[in-house]
Amino acid sequence: MWKWLHPYAKTERTYHLCQSLLPWFSLLGLLVIVVATVWGLAFAPTDYQQSEAYRIIYVHVPSAVLSKSLYSAMAIAGFVGLVWQVKTSFMAMVALAPIGATVTFVSLITGAAWGKPMWGTWWEWDARLTSQLILLFLFLGVISLYKAFEDKQQAGKAAGVMALVGVINLPIIHYSVEWWNTLHQGATIMKFDKPSMPAEMLWPLLLAILGWALVSGAIFLIRMQNEIIRREIKRPWVVELAIKNASASKGK
Amino acid sequence: MAALMAILKRDLALAYRQRAELLQPMMFFVLVISLFPLAVGPESNTLQVIGPGVIWVAAILSSLLGLERLFRDDFQDGSLEQLMLSTTPLAMAALIKVLAHWLTSILPLILLSPLLALFLHLSEPMYWALLKTLLLGTPILSLIGAIAVGLTVGLNRGGVLLALLLLPVFIPLLIFATSAVESASMQLQYTAQLAIIGAMFLFSLALAPFAIAYALRVSQT
Amino acid sequence: MALLSVTNLSVVKRDRLLFENINFAVEKGGLLYVKGQNGAGKTSMLRVLAGLVAADSGEVCFSQQNIQTSRESYHQNLVYFGHKLGINQTMSAVENLQFWCNQHQVSISIETIFSTLLQLNLVGLEDIPVANLSAGQQRRVALARFWLKQNAQLWILDEPFTALDTQGIDLLSKQITKFLNSGGAVIMTSHQRLDLDYLTDELTLEYRI
């Protein structure tokens, strides 16, 4: 792990790696998302119970799946940063946090929108919506802790600790909320995850998840680059890069 | 060991000398709880239903108010710096400071709880369940809270941030604790909830001291 | 043999490189005087040397052992005096020093603490909360550590003369010289001119943008 990571502890390398990965992630991601969305919204069969309303899963499920993975990714980045003292790892953590928060927010909005036709209310204290809400709070906590520090290196470490506390708590939160939900709610809750989803519905869903992951990856790469530049604005290689870019755009 | 005892004695003595400041979270605790009967009406049935939740939420909020004291003075006057440069292991020193803090600012809340149970018309089995959850659960508040306090001690405006960081983390504790009291109100067993809270307590007792020590070191930069 | 040796030390603060690849060593009986403008990183340097803050790269070794890994044995031999005094305002001078001695494994009788405070001209102020003392008197209380911890081998002092009167400066200078003569090593910063009758090494830190 260390051997593989080590060269990328140097920010300049990481910057160029992001640069070369970016087109793949962004183009492929856009393509997959368009295909999945069109397929899911227009061609996938109608659900016999929920009719057309179920189609929101092509947005809701990818965002819900990604939100938790992004939190874990953020915590892993924080962990790597704390244990091996890799500065770039904290930058990755910081780059991931707002993406995760946004995706969680999207999953909440779409969850609420889905709830309207299904439950008749915009908000139901359903186990999954509730734990998504708590996840959003955890994301916001990490982001605001990071923002509170002037010294960004210190900020990275502090936010890393908090991300780890959160990630240890995540399963506990998940089970406690589920348990709380079964205690307090009766039959009003409909289970959406049918174990047998027909393949015509499932394929576009899987594609949508992949597309969301790729686009999130692309946004992450851009944010990572920005973070590196912002932090190292005074380093010689950044200055060189800026001069090179400026002359290139003049040439056009 | 003697060094750790000295920290405990010092912190207890300091708390006694600053007892006026310690009283504030307690008064807050009682005040918040007396607001509820005024807000939702004095019917004993309603109060009994919301009672455990109200007491727990108020306990979490007032413990947050008192938490900042934990390392603030020691950080600002440099005592913490000197403590880090001493031969006492920082994680142990932090654990002792958390213990002193729990004894001086959380235990009084628990001692007040019979009065509040009376205010909210809790039945006797409910009160015993509440007391057990408070005794097992509030140390978790102090331990996990201390991590966040350690991280934010260098920021002069850590108050609201502390709440933002900690409240989501305390949700599972709140759920298990209130459900234990609820089970007690229905004459049901609540050993499972207590066991889970106990497990969370032991887990945080094992890990939090090191996280607190790390957090305090980060704050020194 | 060097008591404290520093190799390739670099420290970054707030994304600003304070200094990089600093190398030096302090021998037993050596006095190192760290100079530099405001913001050049003197305090950060001393905090790294004391082991309060980890360096971004490089190594600090005390008797050939990295201070981050052998923290305890290093701190047994160190007295650090920083910008913050490490004195609790609601406790008295004696209580503060007793607690400090307790944490730093200095076994000393209360009489010694009283006589040290006497030497430092703090008679009659031993038992009242430190908050009632003047800034200079509070500093003297903190400086008493240099009289109490006898077995230290290294002193790190960050601006020790600030807020002291001439008599206080004199007392401390004498104590530093005495410590150096007995084989101790001292690293310090000061904006005042050093008036020590002792051979001084200098390390100048440049202000970098």
Side-chain angles (χ1 to χ4, degrees):
Chain A
M1 169 95 158
W2 175 233
K3 265 190 188 149
W4 178 81
L5 268 173
H6 193 67
Y8 297 106
K10 281 217 169 22
T11 42
E12 192 181 349
R13 285 255 187 91
T14 317
Y15 183 86
H16 292 300
L17 179 74
C18 292
Q19 188 77 35
S20 49
L21 286 178
L22 184 58
W24 293 98
F25 273 80
S26 49
L27 293 179
L28 207 62
L30 279 178
L31 184 74
V32 172
I33 267 200
V34 167
V35 169
T37 312
V38 172
W39 188 357
L41 294 190
F43 297 105
T46 311
D47 186 79
Y48 74 99
Q49 231 177 358
Q50 306 180 25
S51 66
E52 302 295 342
Y54 92 97
R55 290 187 196 276
I56 202 164
I57 63 165
Y58 295 112
V59 182
H60 178 71
V61 173
S63 59
V65 168
L66 266 184
S67 61
K68 287 195 180 76
S69 339
L70 281 170
Y71 196 90
S72 319
M74 184 181 80
I76 291 169
F79 182 76
V80 170
L82 289 175
V83 174
W84 288 284
Q85 307 190 344
V86 189
K87 218 169 61 175
T88 18
S89 192
F90 288 125
M91 293 179 181
M93 179 187 80
V94 174
L96 281 168
I99 306 174
T102 315
V103 166
T104 315
F105 188 67
V106 168
S107 81
L108 275 172
I109 294 284
T110 50
W114 195 10
K116 185 62 182 163
M118 293 300 107
W119 298 317
T121 62
W122 288 102
W123 185 264
E124 188 65 45
W125 287 96
D126 154 69
R128 268 187 262 164
L129 277 182
T130 311
S131 40
Q132 283 303 97
L133 184 66
I134 300 171
L135 185 68
L136 180 65
F137 290 146
L138 287 176
F139 268 121
L140 294 180
V142 171
I143 296 171
S144 34
L145 183 62
Y146 183 82
K147 299 265 183 212
F149 284 90
E150 287 283 322
D151 187 335
K152 289 306 171 198
Q153 220 175 325
Q154 196 184 4
K157 288 181 186 168
V161 172
M162 225 43 229
L164 279 184
V165 171
V167 90
I168 293 174
N169 235 289
L170 216 54
I172 308 178
I173 290 175
H174 185 79
Y175 288 112
S176 70
V177 168
E178 205 131 86
W179 191 64
W180 160 80
N181 201 247
T182 48
L183 275 185
H184 288 267
Q185 307 277 342
T188 53
I189 292 295
M190 284 172 74
K191 282 273 181 225
F192 287 130
D193 56 335
K194 293 180 193 67
S196 55
M197 197 183 216
E200 309 90 82
M201 284 186 190
L202 191 66
W203 275 111
L205 182 62
L206 292 178
L207 261 187
I209 294 175
L210 178 70
W212 274 70
L214 286 170
V215 169
S216 304
I219 299 171
F220 163 71
L221 292 172
I222 298 171
R223 284 189 49 87
M224 183 76 188
Q225 284 185 313
N226 287 347
E227 185 66 23
I228 292 174
I229 295 292
R230 195 179 305 144
R231 295 280 303 276
E232 311 227 314
I233 194 103
K234 285 170 188 155
R235 294 285 167 91
W237 73 267
V238 178
V239 176
E240 247 169 63
L241 191 78
I243 295 169
K244 214 168 72 187
N245 282 1
S247 60
S249 62
K250 232 181 248 169
K252 271 179 204 167
Chain B
M1 219 32 228
L4 293 179
M5 277 308 289
I7 297 179
L8 184 62
K9 266 191 209 154
R10 170 186 183 266
D11 279 16
L12 292 180
L14 279 176
Y16 179 72
R17 282 176 210 184
Q18 298 163 340
R19 52 192 178 277
E21 200 185 341
L22 277 180
L23 274 175
Q24 289 166 6
M26 285 171 65
M27 283 154 61
F28 175 82
F29 185 55
V30 178
L31 258 170
V32 165
I33 287 174
S34 6
L35 287 183
F36 278 86
L38 297 172
V40 299
E43 293 85 14
S44 63
N45 285 338
T46 327
L47 289 179
Q48 210 171 53
V49 171
I50 62 164
V54 166
I55 292 183
W56 255 99
V57 169
I60 289 177
L61 291 180
S62 37
S63 77
L64 275 177
L65 281 183
L67 261 179
E68 249 193 304
R69 269 191 80 257
L70 187 49
F71 298 118
R72 188 193 55 208
D73 289 351
D74 284 339
F75 177 82
Q76 277 168 2
D77 67 23
S79 302
L80 200 62
E81 221 168 73
Q82 291 294 336
L83 192 64
M84 283 179 182
L85 296 175
S86 74
T87 43
T88 319
L90 186 57
M92 288 299 108
L95 183 61
I96 294 295
K97 290 188 87 70
V98 171
L99 172 67
H101 178 265
W102 186 82
L103 286 174
T104 52
S105 48
I106 309 271
L107 195 59
L109 300 185
I110 299 180
L111 295 178
L112 273 176
S113 63
L115 174 72
L116 301 167
L118 217 64
F119 275 12
L120 298 176
H121 300 289
L122 298 193
S123 65
E124 203 177 313
M126 280 172 87
Y127 173 67
W128 287 116
L130 177 73
L131 186 67
K132 285 177 203 162
T133 56
L134 282 173
L135 280 172
L136 264 179
T138 47
I140 308 177
L141 298 181
S142 298
L143 283 164
I144 307 284
I147 303 174
V149 177
L151 290 173
T152 54
V153 72
L155 306 165
N156 288 323
R157 52 214 144 81
V160 183
L161 183 61
L162 202 60
L164 279 181
L165 290 177
L166 287 174
L167 288 176
V169 178
F170 290 156
I171 288 173
L173 177 60
L174 181 72
I175 289 175
F176 290 123
T178 47
S179 100
V181 185
E182 212 182 295
S183 302
S185 75
M186 294 183 281
Q187 319 281 330
L188 296 172
Q189 280 281 324
Y190 51 89
T191 334
Q193 288 93 321
L194 280 186
I196 295 171
I197 298 174
M200 292 200 296
F201 168 53
L202 291 177
F203 188 68
S204 47
L205 184 66
L207 287 185
F210 301 98
I212 302 167
Y214 184 83
L216 291 174
R217 288 198 200 282
V218 169
S219 288
Q220 284 298 327
T221 357
Chain C
M1 192 183 88
L3 192 64
L4 190 83
S5 58
V6 169
T7 34
N8 293 328
L9 195 69
S10 310
V11 171
V12 177
K13 201 178 180 191
R14 301 196 173 188
D15 291 322
R16 190 165 73 86
L17 187 66
L18 288 177
F19 46 81
E20 67 182 334
N21 296 332
I22 299 261
N23 290 286
F24 63 84
V26 183
E27 312 280 324
K28 281 185 177 168
L31 168 62
L32 180 74
Y33 180 37
V34 182
K35 297 206 307 189
Q37 281 175 278
N38 289 343
K42 297 188 295 291
T43 296
S44 302
M45 159 76 87
L46 293 194
R47 289 173 70 82
V48 169
L49 293 184
L52 280 170
V53 179
D56 290 85
S57 66
E59 209 182 22
V60 182
C61 288
F62 178 78
S63 318
Q64 267 71 47
Q65 280 182 313
N66 189 311
I67 60 164
Q68 292 293 337
T69 50
S70 57
R71 221 188 273 271
E72 203 178 320
S73 66
Y74 176 52
H75 288 154
Q76 241 161 9
N77 290 303
L78 171 80
V79 183
Y80 170 80
F81 182 82
H83 281 282
K84 293 176 180 170
L85 297 180
I87 296 271
N88 187 289
Q89 298 282 319
T90 39
M91 297 203 302
S92 72
V94 174
E95 282 171 321
N96 266 304
L97 290 173
Q98 262 186 316
F99 177 70
W100 188 84
C101 289
N102 216 320
Q103 297 308 310
H104 291 253
Q105 297 191 333
V106 179
S107 43
I108 217 149
S109 66
I110 194 155
E111 286 78 24
T112 328
I113 295 179
F114 271 101
S115 69
T116 309
L117 290 173
L118 177 85
Q119 274 184 55
L120 286 162
N121 261 344
L122 291 166
V123 183
L125 302 170
E126 298 97 337
D127 284 328
I128 56 172
V130 173
N132 300 329
L133 273 55
S134 77
Q137 286 169 331
Q138 292 187 13
R139 277 187 99 73
R140 284 171 191 239
V141 174
L143 286 168
R145 294 172 194 148
F146 292 108
W147 275 259
L148 295 172
K149 191 167 174 177
Q150 299 285 352
N151 56 354
Q153 294 187 53
L154 176 68
W155 290 1
I156 296 179
L157 301 95
D158 195 1
E159 303 289 347
F161 298 120
T162 315
L164 285 182
D165 54 15
T166 43
Q167 187 237 10
I169 294 176
D170 201 43
L171 264 171
L172 180 61
S173 304
K174 278 200 184 119
Q175 186 69 8
I176 291 175
T177 327
K178 195 176 140 200
F179 178 64
L180 287 165
N181 283 324
S182 70
V186 173
I187 301 172
M188 64 185 294
T189 62
S190 171
H191 283 300
Q192 275 94 345
R193 279 191 57 80
L194 261 192
D195 213 12
L196 292 181
D197 189 18
Y198 201 84
L199 188 67
T200 316
D201 281 327
E202 286 189 358
L203 173 75
T204 309
L205 296 176
E206 303 280 336
Y207 181 80
R208 292 160 169 256
I209 299 162

